Amino acid sequence: PRGFASGAMDLAYVCEWEKKPKSNHCPSIPLVCAWSCRNLIAFTTDLKNEEEKDLTHMVHIIDTEHPWDVYSVNSGHAEVITCLEWDQSGSRLLSADADGHIKCWSMTDHLANSWENTVGSMVEGDPVVALSWLHNGVKLALHVEKSGASNFGEKFSRVKFSPSLTLFGGKPMEGWIAVTISGLVTVSLLKPNGQVLTSTESLCRLRCRVALADVAFTGGGNIVVATSDGSSSSPVQFYKVCVSVVNEKCKIDTEILPSLFMRCTTDPARKDKYPAITHLKFLARDMSEQVLLCASNQNSSIVECWSLRKEGLPVNNIFQQISPVVGDKQPMILKWRILSATNDLDRVSAVALPKLPISLTNTDLKVANDTKFFPGLGLALAFHDGSVHIVHRLSLQMMAVFYGSSSQRPVDEQTIKRQRTAGPLVHFKAMQLSWTSLALAGIDSHGKLSMLRISPSMGHVLDMNMSLRHLLFLLEYCMVTGYDWWDILLHVQPNMVQNLVEKLHEEYMRQNAALQQVLSTRIVAMKASLCKLSSSTIARVCDYHAKLFLIAISCTLKSLLRPHFLNTPDKSPGDRLTEICSKITDIDIDKVMINLKTEEFVLEMTTLQSLQQLIQWVGDFVLYLLASLPNQGSPVRPGHSFLRDGASLGMFRELMVVIRIWGLLKPSCLPVYTATSDTQDSMSLLFRLLTKLWLCCREENHITEPDDTLIDECCLLPSQLLIPNIDWLPINDGIISKLQNKQLVRLQFGKAPGLVGHTVSSQFDAFVRAPGQPKIDHLRRLHLGAYPTEECKSCTRCGCVTMLKSPNKVTAVKQWEQRWIKNCLCGGLWRRMPLSYS
């Protein structure tokens, strides 16, 4: 094939099963996998036990950053699993089997490596061939043409799209729809009270066998089902399905839509060449007017793309004279037209469709082509010889190719003939593209998982600026949608990090204040994950995590303040505190305090005492920052970026004031300092220095250098107070930083790799605790001892560790813990840690 670049796809890592003598993972006959927007991948294998000769149908769930930490669960399905589907939030999974059972899995205690089956539905003994969650009515479009626009709303516009079913008040109703082999469609609705309403209806009056099916949604809230009986000489049928709730019961109505015959069956040259239809897919869940079909024989395939068009019906002249109305307006009908078709290909073993909702207008396609931005435009085809092709979703033209281990590039006819007879080749039986289309996961015939990187420009060499723009556009998309961006990090090289972080910040500052507030923590988490990828920015990772922690503490402590009278003016005590602290720039803490209404700060003693650990962190951090001001010339030390960050210093200043007032109520909640003299007032000393530093950089565009007297005073701090050890977050143990040199990493399921991290972490060990040292709960700031006895969870993104069960009963602390019960402060998912994690 001509005209496409090499190097568009390469293997990032592979992860395989350990060979055990008694039991092994053999791929199920139809192998399925699914990739969620949180970058969790679910896939199936069958566990074969030699002694009992029976099969257990397993579902495995991995997080792409720690693929070896696989969560394998016996699905309890009696027959082979035919479908896996993640919901739109990426936190629930549906599985369906060849016995008509559908199960819904959700996380136990919000842990990504602990799942349970809560609800389900079934059509007894009737294998499920297609499955989907109902649509929630959220649909975005990415406009490549507008990728230079300043407003996120223009780049990623919300498309008017109705949910499949709404509750009272327009809230989308949750549920799923499945199609079975005997031509039934079954819909289950999840009521808010946990009840499941299920209803089953036949797709049409003449029920016939359905070998393949797929489900898509229309903007008007209807569902479209495509079915085929597996033979290419039969038509591919389409049905419209409407779901409604009548008298607490689920009601299904179906009607027939226009059908089509594959073109290869009507083409005389190929008439009986491809007897079976092997793949039938709508191009996207929310594009019911485009469908992809693949017909095959024993060793070759052909792929066709069709689209549904409205067309005018020509009317005979005789009628036009009689009825002028018809003459004015031509009657319209819906008709399937072929868009494109491939030539004869090797036999297709799996298809992966893009999930990135890229806008397909002509201008967008032209800009994408000019700037070589291809994510979302290619779909992947895997072949029985182990190779993978990426073809354009509209023209089916080849865009990139990957040769697997067994598919050596063809040399001449003889070698090809020898290959064919050499026995079964290893190939992908299931494939999924990530949500930004920058990565592709394949499960092969041995149950091995391969992770492929796909270049956004499909291997075209671009200048640095353009490559950065591509990655930035996708990072912004993840920022707006809340999706995980691990697959974008696969493409970030160390020399891009600094630029990406700066550009991301610029784009963020161009948004309106409301949106900035919504995205404020997400952008900090994004910068942290980028800074991990280069040795020159590694210390800033700690700063960003500390900043997330500071924002969370500030919100929590301010939310505890209560107005004294109920009929108070519109400002909350927290807002008033911020306003007064920024207005009164006095360096004496007590003069700032006098302006506040002390009665708003009155809390119960137990509450204040329970907050001591968080208060201590604030006190320690301020002291650490001020003590590190004199040697600020070294950006490799964590904490460096805070010294120029007016907003964060202002937050610390407000918190110091709050803590000072609380200290009057209950002195034991104050931060504990080890001072050299007994008479010294440490809090007011730190407040004075902090205010001076804050005044230097409170206006972002007018930052001045701290004067010498301030630096001299900070030099004296270590002789007045004991400078604390700050417990920085560990540098993550994930895989991403080990993939940068483009060397293939080989992993094994269930076995953490003994990979020595890259050189970055060696200069960093000075800041992180050594293995035998006491561990700390990073979010509760409690010491867990050197060998913790409590069960802990750690974040899949930032590696932050905290106890699973809360040791506290106080409401204020509960309120603090609620902030990170579902996700870590950085937005990452939690995973349960083995008890011996030390």
Side-chain angles (χ1 to χ4, degrees):
R2 62 190 193 323
F4 63 89
S6 64
M9 298 165 81
D10 66 297
L11 260 178
Y13 63 73
V14 295
C15 200
E16 45 200 322
W17 297 98
E18 191 182 356
K19 303 269 186 292
K20 286 191 183 145
K22 287 278 177 275
S23 61
N24 60 15
H25 288 275
C26 55
S28 8
I29 309 308
L31 188 82
V32 277
C33 80
W35 191 323
S36 86
C37 62
R38 315 283 309 260
N39 280 326
L40 296 174
I41 295 179
F43 64 99
T44 58
T45 63
D46 293 346
L47 191 62
K48 194 155 86 187
N49 204 325
E50 292 298 318
E51 283 140 17
E52 296 145 31
K53 290 275 185 285
D54 62 347
L55 288 181
T56 315
H57 303 290
M58 305 292 288
V59 172
H60 309 283
I61 297 175
I62 62 155
D63 135 52
T64 51
E65 174 73 327
H66 306 89
W68 57 88
D69 183 18
V70 62
Y71 179 74
S72 302
V73 56
N74 175 353
S75 64
H77 282 296
E79 291 291 327
V80 68
I81 300 171
T82 54
C83 306
L84 282 178
E85 282 289 325
W86 288 101
D87 71 346
Q88 278 100 340
S89 70
S91 51
R92 281 181 308 185
L93 179 69
L94 286 178
S95 63
D97 66 12
D99 195 25
H101 288 251
I102 300 171
K103 297 186 173 195
C104 174
W105 302 84
S106 50
M107 287 188 237
T108 329
D109 299 330
H110 307 292
L111 294 170
N113 54 358
S114 186
W115 294 76
E116 58 189 357
N117 164 225
T118 41
V119 291
S121 64
M122 62 179 196
V123 187
E124 195 62 60
D126 198 351
V128 174
V129 288
L131 176 68
S132 170
W133 288 89
L134 296 178
H135 204 286
N136 63 0
V138 176
K139 182 177 170 172
L140 282 181
L142 272 87
H143 299 283
V144 187
E145 178 201 1
K146 302 252 172 61
S147 67
S150 58
N151 183 347
F152 284 167
E154 286 178 38
K155 296 184 201 185
F156 317 111
S157 63
R158 183 88 187 253
V159 179
K160 203 170 150 53
F161 208 87
S162 302
S164 315
L165 198 61
T166 50
L167 290 159
F168 180 71
K171 189 171 183 268
M173 191 154 186
E174 297 184 315
W176 57 82
I177 173 169
V179 182
T180 69
I181 205 160
S182 71
L184 292 177
V185 57
T186 172
V187 174
S188 295
L189 305 176
L190 293 175
K191 290 184 66 181
N193 61 7
Q195 210 185 339
V196 182
L197 299 178
T198 300
S199 164
T200 305
E201 206 41 75
S202 127
L203 268 173
C204 60
R205 270 189 236 125
L206 294 168
R207 262 170 75 184
C208 50
R209 177 170 183 272
V210 175
L212 300 168
D214 198 20
V215 179
F217 301 94
T218 67
N222 292 324
I223 303 167
V224 179
V225 173
T227 66
S228 154
D229 64 4
S231 156
S232 61
S233 54
S234 316
V236 177
Q237 301 276 9
F238 294 85
Y239 304 93
K240 184 163 99 181
V241 177
C242 300
V243 183
S244 51
V245 176
V246 184
N247 309 336
E248 290 296 296
K249 284 204 168 55
C250 174
K251 179 167 177 286
I252 303 175
D253 295 302
T254 61
E255 64 176 87
I256 296 181
L257 293 173
S259 55
L260 66 90
F261 281 96
M262 281 191 72
R263 195 177 69 181
C264 61
T265 57
T266 53
D267 172 6
R270 295 197 176 100
K271 197 162 184 341
D272 303 317
K273 190 174 174 187
Y274 300 108
I277 295 184
T278 49
H279 296 88
L280 158 64
K281 297 265 184 210
F282 285 107
L283 268 170
R285 279 265 178 260
D286 41 28
M287 282 188 62
S288 54
E289 58 288 337
Q290 272 193 11
V291 66
L292 186 81
L293 297 161
C294 169
S296 312
N297 56 30
Q298 241 39 75
N299 38 29
S300 59
S301 296
I302 191 165
V303 176
E304 297 178 0
C305 180
W306 289 71
S307 101
L308 188 63
R309 306 263 175 90
K310 267 197 175 140
E311 292 186 3
L313 199 63
V315 178
N316 191 305
N317 290 339
I318 300 174
F319 297 113
Q320 285 185 350
Q321 275 114 38
I322 305 169
S323 129
V325 188
V326 179
D328 297 344
K329 198 166 181 243
Q330 213 177 6
M332 305 295 271
I333 58 163
L334 285 172
K335 200 162 184 187
W336 285 100
R337 289 280 183 207
I338 188 161
L339 270 184
S340 51
T342 62
N343 296 328
D344 302 354
L345 306 165
D346 203 76
R347 186 162 168 212
V348 172
S349 63
V351 178
L353 297 172
K355 302 180 180 68
L356 193 71
I358 200 124
S359 157
L360 296 172
T361 63
N362 289 342
T363 40
D364 281 313
L365 288 171
K366 186 181 181 311
V367 173
N369 201 30
D370 294 347
T371 57
K372 301 284 176 273
F373 178 83
F374 298 121
L377 289 176
L379 57 96
L381 303 172
F383 297 97
H384 273 264
D385 67 354
S387 64
V388 177
H389 291 182
I390 292 192
V391 297
H392 195 287
R393 62 190 280 179
L394 297 175
S395 66
L396 298 181
Q397 296 274 319
M398 178 100 85
M399 295 165 84
V401 63
F402 168 78
Y403 295 102
S405 49
S406 48
S407 65
Q408 290 321 314
R409 297 151 197 258
V411 190
D412 56 60
E413 289 298 307
Q414 284 309 307
T415 38
I416 294 180
K417 281 196 180 109
R418 268 207 304 281
Q419 262 186 357
R420 282 271 155 80
T421 54
L425 296 163
V426 178
H427 57 264
F428 290 141
K429 297 190 66 165
M431 274 193 318
Q432 283 271 311
L433 282 162
S434 74
W435 284 63
T436 59
S437 285
L438 293 187
L440 174 75
I443 315 287
D444 71 14
S445 33
H446 296 311
K448 179 172 83 177
L449 174 102
S450 302
M451 179 63 68
L452 292 153
R453 225 187 302 246
I454 305 177
S455 122
S457 64
M458 291 295 168
H460 289 279
V461 181
L462 302 175
D463 63 346
M464 189 61 154
N465 214 354
M466 200 47 115
S467 309
L468 287 174
R469 256 186 61 185
H470 288 352
L471 295 179
L472 191 67
F473 188 49
L474 293 169
L475 281 169
E476 290 166 1
Y477 169 68
C478 289
M479 190 152 64
V480 170
T481 52
Y483 295 161
D484 188 75
W485 57 92
W486 178 89
D487 35 331
I488 305 175
L489 298 180
L490 276 178
H491 297 267
V492 176
Q493 289 303 312
N495 58 350
M496 300 177 169
V497 171
Q498 188 68 35
N499 271 339
L500 268 177
V501 171
E502 283 167 14
K503 287 200 160 72
L504 196 62
H505 185 75
E506 278 168 29
E507 290 296 322
Y508 168 76
M509 294 310 288
R510 292 162 100 185
Q511 308 312 310
N512 60 28
L515 186 57
Q516 279 192 27
Q517 196 171 355
V518 171
L519 303 176
S520 61
T521 51
R522 208 172 287 158
I523 185 169
V524 178
M526 221 168 229
K527 289 177 183 170
S529 62
L530 286 166
C531 285
K532 239 177 236 173
L533 301 177
S534 155
S535 52
S536 55
T537 52
I538 196 90
R540 280 165 53 192
V541 178
C542 293
D543 293 7
Y544 288 128
H545 289 313
K547 183 157 183 176
L548 284 172
F549 197 63
L550 168 66
I551 293 172
I553 285 187
S554 169
C555 292
T556 305
L557 297 189
K558 279 187 191 169
S559 70
L560 294 173
L561 308 180
R562 290 282 168 267
H564 187 48
F565 303 108
L566 285 177
N567 57 354
T568 47
D570 47 355
K571 277 201 176 62
S572 69
D575 294 342
R576 202 155 49 245
L577 168 77
T578 306
E579 192 183 7
I580 286 172
C581 285
S582 61
K583 204 161 66 190
I584 297 173
T585 56
D586 209 299
I587 55 175
D588 182 353
I589 191 163
D590 296 323
K591 288 194 180 153
V592 178
M593 223 167 70
I594 282 168
N595 294 283
L596 290 162
K597 297 190 180 135
T598 338
E599 57 267 27
E600 293 181 344
F601 291 77
V602 178
L603 294 180
E604 288 166 29
M605 295 302 153
T606 47
T607 305
L608 289 179
Q609 193 54 54
S610 67
L611 296 170
Q612 205 278 326
Q613 281 89 7
L614 301 182
I615 291 173
Q616 183 71 45
W617 180 82
V618 174
D620 282 353
F621 205 87
V622 169
L623 174 53
Y624 171 85
L625 283 184
L626 292 169
S628 64
L629 180 64
N631 60 5
Q632 56 177 320
S634 87
V636 295
R637 275 183 71 93
H640 174 76
S641 64
F642 277 98
L643 302 174
R644 288 273 170 283
D645 181 354
S648 298
L649 294 174
M651 271 189 206
F652 275 123
R653 197 168 163 265
E654 288 167 29
L655 292 178
M656 293 287 273
V657 175
V658 175
I659 292 167
R660 178 73 166 200
I661 300 178
W662 282 347
L664 299 174
L665 295 171
K666 185 166 180 69
S668 65
C669 79
L670 286 172
V672 180
Y673 293 112
T674 313
T676 42
S677 87
D678 297 340
T679 52
Q680 165 183 300
D681 182 351
S682 309
M683 288 270 309
S684 65
L685 167 70
L686 292 176
F687 185 83
R688 194 178 81 232
L689 300 177
L690 177 64
T691 303
K692 283 184 176 177
L693 181 59
W694 168 69
L695 289 172
C696 293
C697 56
R698 57 189 285 220
E699 282 160 25
E700 217 178 289
N701 39 21
H702 184 70
I703 292 179
T704 56
E705 285 303 307
D707 58 1
D708 292 348
T709 50
L710 174 58
I711 290 181
D712 292 347
E713 284 188 81
C714 288
C715 282
L716 290 174
L717 274 177
S719 62
Q720 295 165 311
L721 294 165
L722 180 70
I723 308 298
N725 240 339
I726 300 288
D727 284 286
W728 302 103
L729 280 194
I731 283 301
N732 205 346
D733 57 344
I735 189 93
I736 196 83
S737 52
K738 294 154 188 111
L739 300 174
Q740 287 184 308
N741 54 8
K742 302 259 172 134
Q743 294 295 314
L744 169 63
V745 178
R746 292 185 179 281
L747 304 164
Q748 204 172 34
F749 287 119
K751 219 172 183 179
L755 290 171
V756 184
H758 51 13
T759 46
V760 172
S761 51
S762 56
Q763 37 162 301
F764 203 81
D765 291 337
F767 311 120
V768 181
R769 299 195 160 214
Q773 278 188 324
K775 299 285 185 294
I776 185 165
D777 179 325
H778 292 110
L779 296 179
R780 297 189 180 91
R781 309 311 296 182
L782 296 172
H783 292 273
L784 303 174
Y787 300 100
T789 51
E790 282 293 315
E791 263 206 299
C792 291
K793 55 184 182 181
S794 83
C795 167
T796 51
R797 270 206 215 133
C798 67
C800 150
V801 174
T802 184
M803 284 184 286
L804 257 178
K805 296 196 172 52
S806 167
N808 296 7
K809 295 283 177 284
V810 188
T811 336
V813 181
K814 285 264 166 63
Q815 196 175 341
W816 167 239
E817 291 176 358
Q818 278 301 317
R819 284 192 168 272
W820 34 265
I821 195 123
K822 283 189 176 170
N823 304 326
C824 172
L825 293 175
C826 73
L829 288 164
W830 292 114
R831 61 189 187 125
R832 185 189 300 262
M833 296 181 76
L835 251 181
S836 58
Y837 87 93
S838 50

